[in-house]
Amino acid sequence: MTPAIRRATLDEILALRHVELRPGLPLATARFDGDDAPDTWHLGAFEDAAAVACASFMRQAWEGAGAYQLRGMATRADRRRRGLGAALLRFAEATIPPATGVHVLWCNARVAAIDFYRRCGWTVESEVFDVPTVGPHRRMRRALPPPVGC
């Protein structure tokens, strides 16, 4: 079965985000500032109405310019390495810029995920830094070209 990639609600993806990104911590730790903002994009990959991968994009400037920050990207353990994360990023890249006019995406990537993001066209933009209770990260960015003719 090929999962359906689509916009999601926070309620549809929060449990997955909690289990995969904040195991053993309270559910509240899987909620992020900006989750409820009207311009936040929650995305999910769904099988039989259950989220098997997710990502959230929150309006957050990059070096003073308009951008969306990727947060809470996760794939269910038994569905990893099947292209779902890359499919979510492609969906975001294809839908967020035309809908918002914003062409920069960025994230604080776990060090273990840096190669994944690089394969998807993202660039490393910082040295390693620590996120308490989560571990080492690096800032990464994906600058998308504006539409042809602009």
Side-chain angles (χ1 to χ4, degrees), residues 110-121:
R110 292 175 189 233
V111 168
I114 289 172
D115 287 341
F116 161 75
Y117 287 108
R118 279 186 172 145
R119 286 190 306 271
C120 291

Side-chain angles (χ1 to χ4, degrees), residues 98-118:
T100 66
V102 173
H103 296 276
V104 174
L105 306 176
W106 68 278
C107 69
N108 293 324
R110 292 175 189 233
V111 168
I114 289 172
D115 287 341
F116 161 75
Y117 287 108
R118 279 186 172 145

